[in-house]
């Protein structure tokens, strides 16, 4: 059984999540719940669980404060939040999991199944470092690194070192500047949502490109891009005008 703890300042959220875990996630045993973040922190110090469901926005200590206070986190964390804003980008870029309230049954089951399938059931120190850095960057600008998670590891790469992302059903192949490719269990749509603010453009239903790595646009029927790694990327007819508009200021 997976020993889990819930920390959330809203009692109804705690009760609902506990009930859903009992109904839909039989491998999870909720050993403690807290609506007081300070009490929750003290429990975690003395008796860390396997899995923590942690609300982000709470009085006194928010979810990120709790993790910083702990320092080393030797258990897995799934964040819960009612707000798709503060901290969410940092969580995504750090390859951590979160659930939006009201928590959907299928999303909860998916998050727990992901925890069960992981090779290691704790947050690596490097992942926490990137999370806290991304939170600071989110307050002052934009994060510069993203976590690419596979079953074996989480690699943190500079966003500018991603050349393009190619859809592979429910997976995405990420092409890196050093020539390596990584198969990530996220859809291209998820990558598009994360990377669009960083000069990435969806040229085709199967391709997302880093515009800073575009070398040439070939004006054949439909057209295609030549990337700095010499890859040819198709451009859908309905994307052509939007793409050229992005480069308009650089035309001679």
């Amino acid at each position: 059984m997976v020993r889990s703890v819930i920390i959330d300042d809203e009692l109804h959220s705690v009760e609902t999540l506990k009930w859903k875990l009992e109904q839909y996630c039989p491998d999870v045993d909720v050993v403690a719940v807290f609506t007081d973040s300070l009490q929750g922190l003290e429990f975690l110090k003395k008796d860390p669980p396997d899995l923590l469901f942690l609300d982000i926005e709470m009085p006194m200590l928010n979810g990120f404060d709790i993790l910083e206070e702990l320092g080393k986190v030797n258990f897995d964390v799934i964040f819960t939040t009612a707000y798709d804003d503060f901290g969410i980008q940092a969580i995504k870029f750090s390859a951590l999991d979160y659930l939006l309230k009201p928590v959907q049954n299928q999303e909860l089951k998916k998050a727990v199944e992901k925890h069960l399938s992981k090779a290691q059931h704790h947050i690596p120190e490097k992942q926490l470092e990137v999370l806290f850095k991304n939170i600071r960057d989110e307050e002052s600008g934009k994060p510069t690194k993203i976590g690419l998670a596979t079953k074996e590891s989480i690699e943190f790469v500079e966003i500018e070192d991603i050349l393009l992302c190619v859809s592979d059903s429910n997976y995405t192949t990420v092409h890196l500047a050093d020539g390596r490719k990584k198969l990530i269990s996220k859809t291209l749509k998820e990558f598009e949502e994360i990377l669009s603010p960083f000069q990435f453009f969806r040229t085709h239903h199967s391709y997302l490109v880093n515009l800073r790595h575009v070398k040439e646009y070939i004006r054949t029927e439909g057209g295609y891009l030549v990337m700095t790694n010499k890859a040819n990327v198709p451009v859908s007819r309905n994307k052509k005008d939007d793409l050229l508009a992005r480069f308009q200021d650089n035309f001679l």
Side-chain angles (χ1 to χ4, degrees):
M1 292 287 283
V2 177
R3 295 178 67 255
S4 71
V5 169
I6 302 171
I7 302 179
D8 191 319
D9 64 305
E10 297 178 332
L11 182 59
H12 70 89
S13 293
V14 169
E15 291 175 340
T16 300
L17 180 55
K18 186 174 184 293
W19 182 84
K20 289 193 173 190
L21 286 167
E22 290 169 351
Q23 296 297 312
Y24 303 108
C25 304
D27 293 322
V28 176
D29 179 25
V30 179
V31 297
V33 300
F34 298 93
T35 55
D36 183 306
S37 56
L38 290 172
Q39 290 178 2
L41 174 61
E42 289 308 308
F43 181 91
L44 296 175
K45 287 178 179 178
K46 296 172 185 174
D47 189 12
D50 302 314
L51 177 61
L52 171 63
F53 292 90
L54 182 61
D55 189 22
I56 295 177
E57 293 284 4
M58 293 183 288
M60 294 182 288
L61 293 177
N62 67 33
F64 302 131
D65 294 332
I66 288 176
L67 296 183
E68 282 201 281
E69 284 286 330
L70 287 169
K72 188 174 182 180
V73 178
N74 56 351
F75 48 82
D76 206 356
V77 176
I78 297 174
F79 291 98
T80 60
T81 180
Y83 309 100
D84 193 4
D85 48 24
F86 172 67
I88 294 300
Q89 187 181 52
I91 291 169
K92 288 179 180 177
F93 275 75
S94 306
L96 289 162
D97 289 328
Y98 74 96
L99 295 167
L100 281 178
K101 301 176 189 176
V103 174
Q104 302 299 307
N105 301 340
Q106 287 303 317
E107 292 301 314
L108 177 60
K109 289 170 66 176
K110 186 176 168 185
V112 169
E113 285 166 5
K114 186 175 178 181
H115 162 78
L116 294 171
S117 69
K118 284 180 180 177
Q120 55 185 13
H121 294 139
H122 67 275
I123 303 180
E125 233 174 280
K126 180 65 177 177
Q127 197 171 5
L128 273 181
E129 285 175 19
V130 173
L131 171 65
F132 297 139
K133 180 182 180 300
N134 284 344
I135 291 166
R136 292 192 295 272
D137 289 346
E138 192 171 328
E139 292 170 346
S140 59
K142 291 180 180 178
T144 59
K145 281 191 172 184
I146 184 171
L148 300 178
T150 64
K151 281 190 176 182
E152 295 76 30
S153 68
I154 300 171
E155 181 178 356
F156 295 94
V157 303
E158 297 290 338
I159 295 169
E160 63 185 25
D161 288 338
I162 297 176
L163 273 65
L164 69 149
C165 303
V166 184
S167 175
D168 185 357
S169 186
N170 288 325
Y171 292 79
T172 297
T173 301
V174 178
H175 295 241
L176 300 172
D178 61 8
R180 291 181 302 128
K181 300 175 185 178
K182 294 186 75 73
L183 185 65
I184 309 298
S185 60
K186 285 185 182 295
T187 64
L188 192 63
K189 184 177 185 335
E190 290 176 282
F191 271 100
E192 182 182 14
E193 290 172 355
I194 294 171
L195 294 175
S196 287
F198 299 85
Q199 296 190 53
F200 280 73
F201 185 84
R202 185 87 172 257
T203 64
H204 183 276
H205 65 82
S206 295
Y207 292 87
L208 178 72
V209 304
N210 185 341
L211 295 178
R212 288 166 293 191
H213 283 281
V214 172
K215 185 177 179 183
E216 190 176 5
Y217 172 66
I218 306 300
R219 294 175 179 272
T220 58
E221 184 177 347
Y224 65 90
L225 297 176
V226 180
M227 307 299 292
T228 53
N229 66 346
K230 298 182 180 178
N232 292 342
V233 176
V235 178
S236 297
R237 187 173 298 175
N238 64 339
K239 296 284 188 176
K240 176 183 173 183
D241 290 343
D242 287 343
L243 174 66
L244 294 179
R246 296 287 291 269
F247 289 113
Q248 190 70 46
D249 293 341
N250 296 319
F251 289 170
L252 296 178

